[in-house]
Amino acid sequence: MQYDTTFGYGRTESLSTNGRATPAPAVVAEVTTPGITVEQYADYVKLPQNYLRGDLGLTDVTYDFNPAVRMMYPGFDRNEAYHRFRISLKGEPRFHSPPKYLGLRPIPYGLPYTEVAREMGFMVLPQGESDAQILWFNEFPALGIPGVEAWKRWGAEWAAFLEGIPALLVPVEPDQGGERLWELLQATP
């Protein structure tokens, strides 16, 4: 969809000095509405909506008056233990955590897959939810790390979830965050 940026509508008119309406020059730009839906997210990560909604529990919600995707973080029992909101595909911030007054503690994304990883002999530790979702869809065990700062704060505690998994595979993203997460993972006892 495209629109005239003057007023955000398809056509804009202005008054000339003689009082008659004359068409204003159109400045056309792509509409970029704030927020994100599960449908947009599914298209972005190239995964089926029914998989994201049904198997992983993603839902459309409103966050700060804009559409957002609520991502459920299951505990070992597969019940919700934590959640985050995806509020943008590319713009920052892309994520928001639940409010502190709820008293929820962050956990890695995909704890139930740790048992599968022990059976398979390896686990992939990607940075973020979308990489973990893609790996699960392709039947790879993965535990999504919800950001460098999260591992920095909780990594020593979360390392216990990885005990008994012989091989940990870490895709290092080509940015400062990816390098920093790699350094933190290597330094975790």
Side-chain angles (χ1 to χ4, degrees):
M1 181 175 175
Q2 294 185 335
Y3 74 106
D4 183 319
T5 57
T6 311
F7 289 104
Y9 301 105
R11 179 179 136 166
T12 304
E13 294 187 346
S14 63
L15 292 175
S16 67
T17 54
N18 64 7
R20 292 186 172 180
T22 58
V27 179
V28 179
E30 189 174 330
V31 173
T32 55
T33 57
I36 179 178
T37 64
V38 173
E39 181 180 1
Q40 292 168 321
Y41 181 75
D43 185 54
Y44 179 70
V45 296
K46 307 294 186 237
L47 291 173
Q49 270 191 73
N50 62 347
Y51 169 72
L52 294 170
R53 290 179 188 276
D55 293 12
L56 303 184
L58 273 63
T59 56
D60 287 310
V61 296
T62 299
Y63 188 94
D64 199 20
F65 303 105
N66 293 307
V69 175
R70 187 177 189 277
M71 296 188 184
M72 189 248 325
Y73 277 52
F76 289 110
D77 61 1
R78 298 196 180 271
N79 291 317
E80 183 172 319
Y82 189 70
H83 64 272
R84 285 205 321 171
F85 300 97
R86 179 82 184 238
I87 60 170
S88 172
L89 283 177
K90 297 179 182 176
E92 295 297 334
R94 290 179 299 154
F95 302 96
H96 272 285
S97 298
K100 293 193 186 304
Y101 68 82
L102 292 177
L104 299 173
R105 291 185 62 177
I107 60 172
Y109 185 54
L111 288 177
Y113 291 93
T114 56
E115 211 41 55
V116 174
R118 285 182 186 87
E119 292 170 13
M120 294 181 76
F122 74 96
M123 177 162 253
V124 183
L125 299 176
Q127 186 176 341
E129 294 95 347
S130 59
D131 290 342
Q133 293 161 351
I134 292 165
L135 286 160
W136 299 333
F137 185 75
N138 290 287
E139 300 182 2
F140 287 94
L143 189 65
I145 307 304
V148 175
E149 292 304 313
W151 187 269
K152 187 175 176 181
R153 180 163 182 196
W154 305 99
E157 179 183 320
W158 293 351
F161 300 139
L162 304 171
E163 288 180 17
I165 301 172
L168 300 174
L169 307 174
V170 181
V172 179
E173 296 197 11
D175 59 17
Q176 282 185 324
E179 288 298 324
R180 181 70 181 130
L181 181 60
W182 174 242
E183 291 167 5
L184 290 169
L185 286 167
Q186 285 181 307
T188 304

